[in-house]
Amino acid sequence: MISIFEAGRDGLFSTSKSKAAKIDVIVQPDGKAAIPYVGLVQFAGLSLEQARQEIIKSLTGKAIEPDVIVSSIDTASRKVTVTGNVNRPSVIPLNLAGDKLSDVIAKAGGPESDPYDSLVTLTRGKRTGTVLMSAVIDDPTENVGVQPGDEITVIHDPRQFTVLGAVKSDKRVKFGSRDVNLVEAMGLARGPNDKIADVSGFFVFRYEEPEVVSALLGEPRFNRMLRQGMIADGHGRYPLVYRFDMSRPDSLLAGQNFAIKHRDIIYASRHPSVDFAKFLNLVGEPLRVANSGVSIAQHVSDMTSD
């Protein structure tokens, strides 16, 4: 709603009965709205005061000492929907100055769960993107501007890893914090079974982006493995196994800097050669990449044991 006042009677917006006119303004998807005797005004990206000044400037010389009040602009064309794991799922009207992803989530009461356990999915037309809420908070490039009609869904998805082998119990463990390294992960899992564990045989299994695998193994070896039948998962990532010899001080230091990722599998072996083969048999069937996984594991094993 825009109210335009004039100092005299019989002006563009004033009459003998009233010196003000109220105009309902509908901001179009392109951020512009038409106002009589003013023309198109770009509201998107402006504060209410900035929009007010633009209108006054356009009316100078046309209206009699004009003054303007921009009281509210709230139309269906400038709203986003926020649902899921938030405190107040709702339809959020956008500000004239523009809103970021974190702004509209905050207006919906914020996530119910910790940011590092909350996924944010933004749907715009036929395009969808998902990111951790903690990344939205920490990384300005992830805190993108929202647009009218966007749908934002917050999902509670606790990050977890699985420990197997010579540990006190095979189980899935929640991170419980934003970042967890390998040493901390083993602590959360109550550590290896000291009676049977071989500290020289700790393995981390995960799918990595192709550029990571290529950088670690070298492009010629990576391409050769692709020709031999190594296949990716549904996200285009390839299986990789990291080996750590925790009897060596440098591996302990590396373990403190090795970040565990969501759905990693950590395996503590009784004997690297025997138990690691059992491990690959355990995970190889559902992944359908047992042969290529063994090759990758052997190369990475050689790299980390030198």
Side-chain angles (χ1 to χ4, degrees):
M1 175 72 70
I2 294 178
S3 299
I4 301 177
F5 299 85
E6 290 187 271
R9 299 178 180 179
D10 300 324
L12 292 175
F13 302 96
S14 62
T15 65
S16 58
K17 295 181 179 180
S18 174
K19 293 185 178 182
K22 293 183 178 180
I23 303 171
D24 290 325
V25 172
I26 299 177
V27 179
Q28 301 301 318
D30 62 0
K32 298 178 181 179
I35 301 174
Y37 300 103
V38 174
L40 286 176
V41 176
Q42 178 71 35
F43 284 93
L46 301 181
S47 66
L48 292 178
E49 177 60 25
Q50 288 172 331
R52 172 179 174 272
Q53 294 296 335
E54 284 295 319
I55 297 170
I56 292 175
K57 181 180 177 181
S58 297
L59 288 174
T60 301
K62 300 176 183 178
I64 304 172
E65 298 181 21
D67 198 2
V68 175
I69 294 177
V70 182
S71 56
S72 66
I73 293 186
D74 182 10
T75 68
S77 65
R78 289 194 55 78
K79 292 182 179 180
V80 297
T81 303
V82 183
T83 60
N85 189 230
V86 291
N87 289 294
R88 293 190 304 275
S90 52
V91 176
I92 307 294
L94 298 179
N95 288 326
L96 287 176
D99 289 280
K100 296 290 188 179
L101 196 54
S102 60
D103 297 327
V104 295
I105 293 174
K107 291 178 181 178
E112 293 181 335
S113 307
D114 290 319
Y116 53 77
D117 279 340
S118 300
L119 290 175
V120 180
T121 298
L122 172 64
T123 301
R124 180 174 298 163
K126 296 183 179 180
R127 300 177 61 188
T128 298
T130 300
V131 68
L132 274 171
M133 184 66 205
S134 57
V136 174
I137 296 172
D138 296 337
D139 186 353
T141 63
E142 298 289 358
N143 191 21
V144 298
V146 296
Q147 296 181 9
D150 283 353
E151 295 181 7
I152 297 153
T153 305
V154 180
I155 302 171
H156 177 54
D157 185 24
R159 292 184 300 157
Q160 303 173 80
F161 61 91
T162 300
V163 290
L164 302 171
V167 290
K168 293 184 171 65
S169 62
D170 295 340
K171 60 181 178 179
R172 183 177 294 175
V173 183
K174 293 182 179 180
F175 276 43
S177 62
R178 182 165 55 184
D179 301 305
V180 173
N181 61 46
L182 177 59
V183 175
E184 292 170 333
M186 291 306 299
L188 290 172
R190 298 177 57 206
N193 187 328
D194 294 335
K195 295 180 180 179
I196 59 174
D198 184 342
V199 293
S200 67
F202 282 83
F203 302 91
V204 178
F205 175 92
R206 71 166 56 134
Y207 278 100
E208 291 280 22
E209 300 296 333
E211 57 269 21
V212 175
V213 181
S214 179
L216 285 173
L217 303 182
E219 188 172 350
R221 185 180 299 173
F222 176 55
N223 291 332
R224 184 170 65 251
M225 289 180 177
L226 291 177
R227 292 192 298 269
Q228 291 172 349
M230 183 174 66
I231 59 176
D233 67 358
H235 301 284
R237 299 170 302 184
Y238 291 92
L240 196 63
V241 180
Y242 298 87
R243 178 187 175 185
F244 293 84
D245 181 354
M246 290 303 182
S247 66
R248 294 173 46 171
D250 55 347
S251 286
L252 287 171
L253 293 173
Q256 290 181 326
N257 291 290
F258 187 87
I260 296 299
K261 295 184 178 181
H262 184 35
R263 293 177 180 166
D264 274 358
I265 298 175
I266 303 173
Y267 182 79
S269 69
R270 287 182 290 270
H271 188 279
S273 62
V274 176
D275 282 352
F276 185 57
K278 293 180 180 179
F279 165 65
L280 288 177
N281 287 334
L282 179 65
V283 301
E285 177 60 25
L287 296 171
R288 305 288 183 186
V289 291
N291 292 334
S292 59
V294 170
S295 299
I296 297 171
Q298 289 172 346
H299 290 307
V300 176
S301 173
D302 295 338
M303 292 169 60
T304 54
S305 61
D306 289 342

